[in-house]
Amino acid sequence: MGGPIFDTYRAVYQYMTYCVRVEKDYSGLFSSDMGVLIGDPASPIMWLLYFADVDIPATDQDIVLDGTRISHLEQADDIVIFATSAAALQEKLDAFFAWCCRNLLRINGRKSWWMPLGARPREIPVLDINGDPVPMEEQKLYVGMLLTSSLAHDQRAHVAAKVDKAHRISCLTFGILDRKCLELPPRPARKLYMGLVDPHMTHGCEVLPDSTLSGTEHLERVQKMYLRKMLRVGPKTCVVPLYTETGISPIRYRRADLAVRFLGYTLQQPQGDLVRCAVMDSRELAQAGKRSWFGDLRKACARLPGGGVDIGFPDSADAVDGLRTMLKEDERAYLHRTTDQCRKLPLLSGRLHEKCFSQQAPRPAPTCVFRTYLKITAPDHRKALTRFLLSDHMLAIERLRYENVPRGERRCRFCDDAVEDELHALFECDGQAELAAHRLELMSNVLRVKGEDAVARLQRSDLETVFQITVSPGTDGKLPDTIRFPDASPPFAGKVRNRTDHPGTEFIRM
């Protein structure tokens, strides 16, 4: 072997010397002629050059995908050999061992294994490399994917391993950073989720689509736990606002979108590319009604909680962008519909755009986006508003729900004139002087900042619109400080509700 590239690499390693440093002490210079530098960009190039003439013969028992015969695959020095019979596999092992002997390579027997995929053979064959038996494995990690001999359990085994890692990272994120900075704000918590947790939650989704509803139950549980910690809300909070307020997609939609995007990538590859051959062969199996990767992808998209999307059988990448748009629209419709139907979220139903105060005709707010109020720097103010919007507050409309008190009997503790819900506590209750003073302060601030037209507009609007406008950011992007939320203000925070306030309920400290 020769040539400019080979001569350059040989010269570099021929004149390279090393030294060892221990604290402030250095050893003398020495040379090493064993292997190549770990992490050196030349390392994979040199290995590919060395491994270019590997000889593993093709047989009639090879795997055939879309007319292309596949004898083996190589991931650097990790090699997987395929065969549909034990005799053909042993023939390939013997040929590979002979090639390694000619090229001064040794097969690591402790890392070598074989696995029957699908049906377990009645008689377990004995395979060997130079007389040393190769052990059979029923579950093994290869190139980051956990493979099992029973293909039906592939997804559950792989997801279980990733769920454990994602859960530990979630606990460490809040356990450590909350102690360092008192309380991790939502914005950096979202970045940490996308950088540390989401890769584990989505790992392998393009290889193992979510063809069953139970396959992602544990992933959904970890995602909801992280988002509740990020927003500082309790476990009884509705699930949908965890996504609509943070701009994070439900994990089933996220994984389905990545799998469809991978489908588009494979269809862009040229004819004869191995990944394209695998997908096209899987497509033919799905059209024939047989189990396949393509069929699992269709199930994953069709069983989404919003009603699902029928992706059909695309054979080119041109249709994939339209499929991803359909998935996003199905997600948006699902979140919007569920929010409107949830009786616990009256303040999020029909929400206006965050800049509605400056709009002559207020537009509706986007369904799923990271909300501006989550950028409030004061933790107590941010948590008060978040819990107020997500119905995780101390008002009777929420707390007496779990005591099975009828809605009409959840009366206001001050005026006893109406149900103590969010809008009544903010704008209607006249049984507490401090709340009335806060309302006057609000209107005076609106008059001072926005003028008489804004005050008149508020007076003409219904209470839901008034609330949306008062919590919308101003032209400087900051939220107003003129509104007080009941679960944070002294009258509601310190008031004790007992059985005399609401007969038939338990003693609840607000």
Side-chain angles (χ1 to χ4, degrees):
M1 181 180 292
I5 296 180
F6 182 81
D7 293 340
T8 300
Y9 288 154
R10 181 172 56 186
V12 169
Y13 281 90
Q14 181 177 357
Y15 297 105
M16 185 178 295
T17 55
Y18 307 84
C19 72
V20 178
R21 186 186 70 177
V22 179
E23 294 182 353
K24 297 183 179 180
D25 297 329
Y26 293 83
S27 70
L29 297 177
F30 62 93
S31 60
S32 175
D33 57 357
M34 299 178 62
V36 296
L37 292 174
I38 297 177
D40 189 343
S43 176
I45 298 176
M46 296 177 69
W47 173 255
L48 291 177
L49 293 174
Y50 191 85
F51 207 70
D53 62 342
V54 62
D55 183 21
I56 300 179
T59 66
D60 293 337
Q61 281 74 40
D62 285 341
I63 301 296
V64 179
L65 298 177
D66 195 35
T68 301
R69 190 176 300 275
I70 301 177
S71 172
H72 64 283
L73 297 176
E74 306 158 10
Q75 178 73 18
D77 57 349
D78 292 329
I79 304 170
V80 57
I81 301 175
F82 301 104
T84 57
S85 69
L89 183 57
Q90 183 62 61
E91 179 183 349
K92 293 184 178 183
L93 291 176
D94 295 339
F96 182 60
F97 176 76
W99 181 87
C100 290
C101 292
R102 293 193 303 269
N103 290 274
L104 306 179
L105 291 177
R106 183 172 60 182
I107 300 176
N108 191 333
R110 291 179 299 176
K111 295 183 179 180
S112 301
W113 47 271
W114 75 278
M115 178 185 296
L117 297 178
R120 184 187 180 95
R122 294 182 179 180
E123 295 183 3
I124 305 299
V126 178
L127 303 175
D128 67 89
I129 299 177
N130 193 31
D132 296 329
V134 180
M136 185 187 76
E137 299 286 352
E138 295 186 356
Q139 182 173 295
K140 204 69 176 178
L141 194 69
Y142 180 74
V143 196
M145 293 298 301
L146 188 62
L147 303 178
T148 60
S149 58
S150 176
L151 298 179
H153 300 290
D154 265 359
Q155 184 186 23
R156 281 182 287 176
H158 182 75
V159 168
K162 290 302 176 181
V163 163
D164 182 64
K165 292 183 179 180
H167 181 263
R168 285 190 280 112
I169 292 175
S170 301
C171 295
L172 287 173
T173 298
F174 290 98
I176 295 176
L177 294 181
D178 276 359
R179 290 198 298 267
K180 293 292 184 180
C181 60
L182 299 181
E183 187 173 288
L184 182 63
R187 196 171 188 178
R190 186 184 187 276
K191 292 183 178 180
L192 290 174
Y193 172 85
M194 298 304 298
L196 299 178
V197 180
D198 185 74
H200 289 287
M201 303 280 281
T202 59
H203 188 271
C205 64
E206 68 275 18
V207 179
L208 300 171
D210 304 321
S211 58
T212 62
L213 298 180
S214 61
T216 56
E217 286 181 352
H218 297 296
L219 290 173
E220 291 173 325
R221 175 176 53 82
V222 172
Q223 186 186 45
K224 289 185 287 188
M225 180 201 71
Y226 188 99
L227 296 181
R228 285 192 171 105
K229 286 185 177 181
M230 184 173 81
L231 296 176
R232 310 292 169 173
V233 295
K236 293 184 178 180
T237 307
C238 294
V239 175
V240 171
L242 301 180
Y243 310 119
T244 60
E245 305 305 287
T246 61
I248 294 176
S249 297
I251 191 61
R252 291 186 66 87
Y253 281 98
R254 169 76 170 151
R255 290 169 62 90
D257 178 69
L258 291 176
V260 171
R261 187 167 68 176
F262 174 74
L263 172 63
Y265 162 77
T266 61
L267 296 178
Q268 289 177 339
Q269 304 309 304
Q271 295 288 342
D273 186 88
L274 295 185
V275 68
R276 180 183 175 91
C277 291
V279 169
M280 297 305 294
D281 190 84
S282 176
R283 179 176 177 272
E284 293 180 7
L285 290 174
Q287 288 178 318
K290 299 180 180 180
R291 291 182 56 189
S292 64
W293 175 88
F294 210 104
D296 288 345
L297 178 60
R298 298 188 73 230
K299 292 179 182 178
C301 295
R303 295 176 178 177
L304 292 172
V309 174
D310 183 7
I311 65 172
F313 298 94
D315 57 359
S316 66
D318 297 335
V320 172
D321 289 339
L323 294 178
R324 295 186 63 194
T325 301
M326 293 169 62
L327 287 173
K328 200 64 181 177
E329 180 59 27
D330 186 71
E331 175 189 352
R332 188 205 64 79
Y334 161 68
L335 296 176
H336 184 79
R337 181 176 64 253
T338 309
T339 300
D340 288 343
Q341 294 175 351
C342 183
R343 298 185 63 184
K344 292 183 64 175
L345 304 173
L347 301 180
L348 300 185
S349 178
R351 179 162 43 185
L352 300 178
H353 197 276
E354 290 181 336
K355 297 183 179 180
C356 59
F357 214 142
S358 59
Q359 297 171 356
Q360 188 66 28
R363 301 193 305 270
T367 302
C368 185
V369 69
F370 189 81
R371 306 295 175 181
T372 302
Y373 69 83
L374 294 177
K375 302 175 185 178
I376 297 176
T377 55
D380 291 340
H381 298 174
R382 181 179 64 246
K383 287 189 295 185
L385 178 54
T386 303
R387 292 171 181 173
F388 198 73
L389 290 170
L390 273 61
S391 193
D392 191 34
H393 45 65
M394 295 295 180
L395 299 181
I397 188 65
E398 176 63 21
R399 292 304 165 189
L400 300 187
R401 184 192 313 273
Y402 309 111
E403 303 296 334
N404 295 323
V405 178
R407 190 181 191 280
E409 298 179 13
R410 303 173 199 170
R411 313 293 292 181
C412 177
R413 73 196 78 171
F414 293 129
C415 65
D416 198 32
D417 288 339
V419 174
E420 188 183 275
D421 60 10
E422 296 87 354
L423 296 178
H424 172 79
L426 285 175
F427 301 115
E428 293 181 335
C429 179
D430 57 1
Q432 218 285 332
E434 187 171 354
L435 288 176
H438 287 327
R439 293 192 198 103
L440 292 176
E441 181 185 359
L442 170 64
M443 298 307 293
S444 63
N445 286 341
V446 172
L447 177 62
R448 174 175 52 85
V449 176
K450 298 293 185 180
E452 296 181 356
D453 293 340
V455 174
R457 180 180 176 185
L458 290 179
Q459 293 174 343
R460 294 193 305 268
S461 303
D462 56 76
L463 296 183
E464 289 83 358
T465 304
V466 172
F467 177 79
Q468 297 290 342
I469 293 177
T470 51
V471 298
S472 63
T475 55
D476 57 356
K478 297 181 179 180
L479 288 169
D481 59 358
T482 56
I483 191 168
R484 302 291 189 268
F485 296 98
D487 61 337
S489 60
F492 282 81
K495 181 70 173 178
V496 175
R497 178 185 294 131
N498 53 35
R499 293 178 185 271
T500 60
D501 294 324
H502 298 280
T505 65
E506 299 295 332
F507 179 87
I508 303 175
R509 180 171 295 277
M510 299 301 290

